[in-house]
Amino acid sequence: MSSSSSIRRDVGPFALMLTGLGSIIGSGWLFGAWRAAQIAGPGAIWAWVIGAAIILFIALTYAELGAMFPESGGMVRYGHYSHGSLVGFIAAWANWIAIVSVISVEAEASAQYMSSWKWAWARDLYHQAPGGHGELSAIGLTIAGALVIAYFLLNFWSVKLFARSNTAITLFKLVIPALTAVLLIASGFHPENFSVGIHGETHAIDFASVLTAVAIAGIVFSFNGFQSPVNLAGEAHNPGKSIPFAIVCSIVLATAIYVLLQVAFIGSVPQQMLANVGWNGINFSSPFADLAIILGLQWLATLLFIDAVISPSGTGMTYTATTARMLYGMERNGTLPKILGHVHPKWGVPRPAMWVNLAVSFMFLLFFRGWGTLAAVISVATIISYLTGPVSVMTLRRTAPGLHRPLRLAGLPVVAGIAFVMSTELLYWAKWPLTGEIILLMVVALPIYLYYQAKSGWHDFARQMKGAWWLIAYLPTIALVSWAGSTTFGGKGYLPYGWDLAVVAVIGFLYYLWGVKSGWRTPSVEAAEQEAFSHPDAPLIPPDEAAAEYAVER
């Protein structure tokens, strides 16, 4: 049986907050403002505000869950507690895909920024293409691969080493983005740029473009870092206070920085570059460094080149730590090999899980060779991973009312409902066919689940299916609506723009109600209540699936 007892609780509330902030301010700040401006023009500022508001609603539901179950890899466990093994597996798979791929994209970001260095060999690291779809060369991929290995090694010897190095890196990462924004505004700010539209026309807010920017420009991807404090809850002191503190503070601070950076980027682009092509035609391989060079701030460009290694590397190290704990959590759900739940007795980290994530990170490097392409994929996978949190937290209020909740969120039914509906909208805003492609990616792992069900003799399979029908139906429904939706969001036009947003909201609300109603009192919840009764002062960490079944059947 896997155990959490050997996971160390070495991370204090401030360090936990810096972990979240360090995950949020990664490569997103280096590229997000550029991609958002390409898609939405000056409306990109609103995209960051809207994105932050949506993520805050989603994050608050996970804050209650993380404080309630302070365990490592908790993000992949909550659906299992509320709806059983099938929902737990789909949710965990989506969440793991969304997080493990970030390790690769952070390494790609550093290599891509190097392509603006003055040496000839560096300029060949990245080959530009329209719409942010450029690719790293073989040498660029080699550098990215070396960075992934460095992230791995820095996490191989305990979470304490990770937390200490991350604190120093995060403090550095806070100073550089703020300094960059202030210097760009002071050195070459053009207020008239805010009047230029996406394609060079007079700017007017294109609401659909703003929404698309929220979904795929790297905004959702950037804010996804709020998950890191939740996944490291098992290492936290006093999780009931430290987790909500870490989540809310990291989102608020990051939002202020990202909005400032977006304003600086829009105002700093030379007017002649916008004259003919507008924002959609602005292509940079190293956006802020390229702007600094244009403005004659070579020393700032040099500083940005340094930070382009440090900022993504801090996030890469954070995600290398959290993804290992996610596989650890999935093993405890009973749907992955036992070896992935093994925690090193001396260093306190799940090393076999780290090796798996290292291999998967290299696969993402090979298949998605540019920041823009991989960031869009991660964004949609991230949105799908958000779906079960709001449903799970409300279900557990009904099926496990007696469990101790260090954080009991006021107005949770409203907060959770908004979080689920907005997650559904985000999935639609990502545009067809990307929405359908990532939904397909979510179901390709089902044979793994079926293998473990067959291995168990299909134990309680009918009940697992009953708890999962809402999610099984939800994914193809959203894919169908995305395909049939307005041409504004890549669909066939069977739903006119405006009405499509309303239809998606109604669908999201109905599936939210169905999902909450489908939850049941799982063996994990039964076992958790038994543990809470026997050890009332201990952190509430349900046992793994086999132990939970055994405890309930005794």
Side-chain angles (χ1 to χ4, degrees):
M1 180 178 74
S2 300
S3 173
S4 303
S5 60
S6 56
I7 290 282
R8 299 176 180 178
R9 299 182 181 276
D10 291 338
V11 185
F14 186 69
L16 201 67
M17 185 272 288
L18 289 178
T19 298
L21 193 57
S23 297
I24 294 173
I25 303 177
S27 62
W29 92 263
L30 295 167
F31 294 98
W34 159 62
R35 282 294 289 137
Q38 271 194 325
I39 295 170
I45 296 169
W46 290 108
W48 286 102
V49 175
I50 293 170
I54 294 172
I55 295 300
L56 190 57
F57 275 99
I58 295 168
L60 286 172
T61 65
Y62 282 103
E64 177 166 317
L65 289 167
M68 184 179 176
F69 301 110
E71 60 180 314
S72 294
M75 292 287 291
V76 301
R77 296 276 279 161
Y78 308 137
H80 184 89
Y81 298 157
S82 62
H83 289 77
S85 62
L86 182 50
V87 169
F89 180 81
I90 296 172
W93 174 260
N95 201 274
W96 177 67
I97 287 291
I99 298 296
V100 72
S101 50
V102 174
I103 300 170
S104 304
V105 84
E106 299 303 318
E108 287 185 343
S110 293
Q112 187 169 325
Y113 243 69
M114 292 177 190
S115 65
S116 289
W117 289 5
K118 61 182 179 179
W119 299 285
W121 66 267
R123 294 183 189 130
D124 190 49
L125 294 177
Y126 176 77
H127 303 141
Q128 288 191 12
H133 297 297
E135 291 189 349
L136 291 172
S137 65
I139 299 175
L141 284 174
T142 301
I143 293 173
L147 288 169
V148 168
I149 293 172
Y151 307 157
F152 172 84
L153 293 176
L154 282 169
N155 277 277
F156 205 62
W157 291 284
S158 91
V159 68
K160 199 165 191 176
L161 172 64
F162 148 72
R164 285 172 176 169
S165 62
N166 187 66
T167 299
I169 289 171
T170 302
L171 291 174
F172 181 80
K173 289 164 64 174
L174 284 174
V175 172
I176 301 304
L179 178 65
T180 298
V182 170
L183 288 174
L184 289 179
I185 290 172
S187 301
F189 196 75
H190 308 290
E192 52 273 25
N193 286 2
F194 291 83
S195 300
V196 179
I198 300 170
H199 299 287
E201 75 283 9
T202 300
H203 172 66
I205 293 291
D206 184 342
F207 190 56
S209 296
V210 171
L211 299 181
T212 299
V214 174
I216 66 171
I219 294 174
V220 167
F221 152 67
S222 296
F223 282 114
N224 192 34
F226 84 81
Q227 294 192 34
S228 291
V230 178
N231 279 319
L232 289 171
E235 284 91 330
H237 292 299
N238 194 3
K241 292 182 179 180
S242 60
I243 292 174
F245 169 82
I247 288 174
V248 174
C249 288
S250 60
I251 290 175
V252 171
L253 288 172
T255 301
I257 292 171
Y258 276 125
V259 169
L260 183 63
L261 284 164
Q262 188 67 67
V263 170
F265 181 84
I266 291 172
S268 300
V269 173
Q271 291 176 277
Q272 60 270 26
M273 294 182 69
L274 295 172
N276 297 319
V277 295
W279 291 103
N280 188 252
I282 298 298
N283 266 319
F284 289 120
S285 58
S286 312
F288 284 108
D290 290 342
L291 281 177
I293 292 170
I294 290 171
L295 295 173
L297 300 173
Q298 186 60 53
W299 69 270
L300 177 60
T302 301
L303 189 60
L304 288 168
F305 290 141
I306 296 171
D307 186 69
V309 175
I310 293 176
S311 283
S313 293
T315 303
M317 286 190 293
T318 299
Y319 278 67
T320 300
T322 55
T323 50
R325 288 154 181 81
M326 292 172 77
L327 286 181
Y328 170 88
M330 291 169 73
E331 181 275 328
R332 288 172 60 78
N333 288 345
T335 52
L336 284 181
K338 287 288 184 184
I339 190 173
L340 296 180
H342 176 70
V343 177
H344 193 280
K346 179 179 179 181
W347 300 112
V349 292
R351 284 185 168 180
M354 290 183 65
W355 283 109
V356 171
N357 287 331
L358 180 65
V360 173
S361 297
F362 275 100
M363 290 178 62
F364 274 104
L365 282 179
L366 293 175
F367 284 103
F368 304 99
R369 302 187 176 192
W371 188 93
T373 304
L374 186 50
V377 170
I378 294 170
S379 295
V380 182
T382 296
I383 295 164
I384 294 175
S385 75
Y386 290 155
L387 294 170
T388 54
V391 173
S392 292
V393 72
M394 277 302 300
T395 297
L396 288 168
R397 282 271 184 106
R398 175 173 59 83
T399 61
L403 288 178
H404 174 59
R405 288 167 170 80
L407 171 66
R408 190 175 182 90
L409 194 66
L412 180 65
V414 175
V415 172
I418 292 173
F420 189 90
V421 170
M422 295 313 299
S423 294
T424 304
E425 292 281 7
L426 278 170
L427 196 53
Y428 179 73
W429 300 343
K431 290 189 174 183
W432 183 266
L434 183 60
T435 299
E437 291 167 353
I438 306 305
I439 286 175
L440 181 62
L441 180 63
M442 295 303 106
V443 301
V444 296
L446 284 178
I448 300 175
Y449 173 79
L450 296 175
Y451 166 79
Y452 278 96
Q453 282 296 306
K455 192 175 179 181
S456 70
W458 304 98
H459 175 68
D460 211 17
F461 184 65
R463 195 168 192 181
Q464 308 297 341
M465 287 295 296
K466 185 177 179 181
W469 277 121
W470 69 276
L471 185 56
I472 294 172
Y474 173 88
L475 293 174
T477 298
I478 295 303
L480 179 63
V481 172
S482 182
W483 171 82
S486 67
T487 55
T488 305
F489 292 104
K492 295 294 184 180
Y494 298 122
L495 286 172
Y497 173 61
W499 284 104
D500 58 342
L501 299 178
V503 168
V504 170
V506 171
I507 289 173
F509 182 67
L510 293 176
Y511 272 99
Y512 166 72
L513 295 177
W514 185 9
V516 172
K517 187 177 180 181
S518 297
W520 53 289
R521 192 173 172 82
T522 62
S524 294
V525 167
E526 292 278 3
E529 291 208 338
Q530 292 179 21
E531 287 287 329
F533 180 78
S534 302
H535 305 93
D537 297 325
L540 183 59
I541 301 176
D544 61 29
E545 183 66 7
E549 292 278 0
Y550 177 75
V552 171
E553 290 171 358
R554 274 192 307 177

